[in-house]
Amino acid sequence: MVINILSIFVQYMTHNQLQQKCWQHLWNEYPTSRYCSWHTKNEDIPHKNETRKEYVIRRSQDKAIGLLPGVWDLVLYWKGVLHIFDVKVGKDKLSEKQLRFEDAIIAQGGISYEINTFDTFVEHCKKIFNGA
């Protein structure tokens, strides 16, 4: 019965829960990749007591220093290949900006992975690191 409850929990993970689980797996199972993988923080909400104008100014400043909407959730540079992962749960799907980002990465020899379950992420990692 525990397995059924666990599988139900995994099925209903939020985006951040699934991304965190994937990140922890990558960090713990493949320590040689630790400084070759990262999350680019490109999502943001207004700070507490920040006005709409202040928020727009701050986001404009972020864009001026390289923030790029559409960047995928996790990036791994491994043995000369850029691997990008985007976590999608439920009915969530890739945005137009994410599709453009994916196309640009693939055009340069990168590989993209849409992650809907933790098991999917684990399988992709096995292929990347072990050639399995």
Side-chain angles (χ1 to χ4, degrees):
M1 190 65 169
V2 173
I3 295 173
N4 290 340
I5 293 171
L6 181 59
S7 66
I8 289 170
F9 172 74
V10 170
Q11 181 181 359
Y12 293 105
M13 272 193 219
T14 67
H15 175 279
N16 287 352
Q17 288 170 331
L18 179 54
Q19 184 171 329
Q20 179 182 7
K21 188 173 173 104
C22 292
W23 172 254
Q24 288 174 340
H25 176 77
L26 185 61
W27 186 267
N28 292 328
E29 296 299 318
Y30 303 98
T32 55
S33 74
R34 286 184 181 168
Y35 295 97
C36 300
S37 56
W38 63 92
H39 165 72
T40 301
K41 185 163 176 56
N42 62 345
E43 63 281 328
D44 196 16
I45 59 173
H47 295 151
K48 186 177 180 181
N49 299 324
E50 183 176 42
T51 67
R52 171 97 175 116
K53 181 179 178 180
E54 291 168 334
Y55 174 72
V56 169
I57 290 170
R58 184 168 54 82
R59 294 302 282 175
S60 294
Q61 290 169 338
D62 289 343
K63 288 178 184 177
I65 62 170
L67 176 98
L68 181 64
V71 171
W72 283 29
D73 293 319
L74 296 173
V75 180
L76 167 67
Y77 186 69
W78 191 250
K79 297 194 176 186
V81 178
L82 189 67
H83 301 268
I84 58 173
F85 303 87
D86 203 76
V87 174
K88 295 296 179 198
V89 296
K91 295 180 181 179
D92 198 10
K93 61 181 185 175
L94 294 171
S95 70
E96 284 299 317
K97 289 179 181 179
Q98 288 175 315
L99 291 169
R100 286 198 301 267
F101 182 79
E102 177 185 34
D103 289 345
I105 297 300
I106 290 171
Q108 297 302 316
I111 303 173
S112 64
Y113 310 88
E114 191 172 328
I115 305 301
N116 306 105
T117 67
F118 177 67
D119 290 340
T120 301
F121 183 78
V122 169
E123 289 304 313
H124 289 311
C125 285
K126 285 179 185 175
K127 290 176 187 171
I128 293 166
F129 294 103
N130 304 324

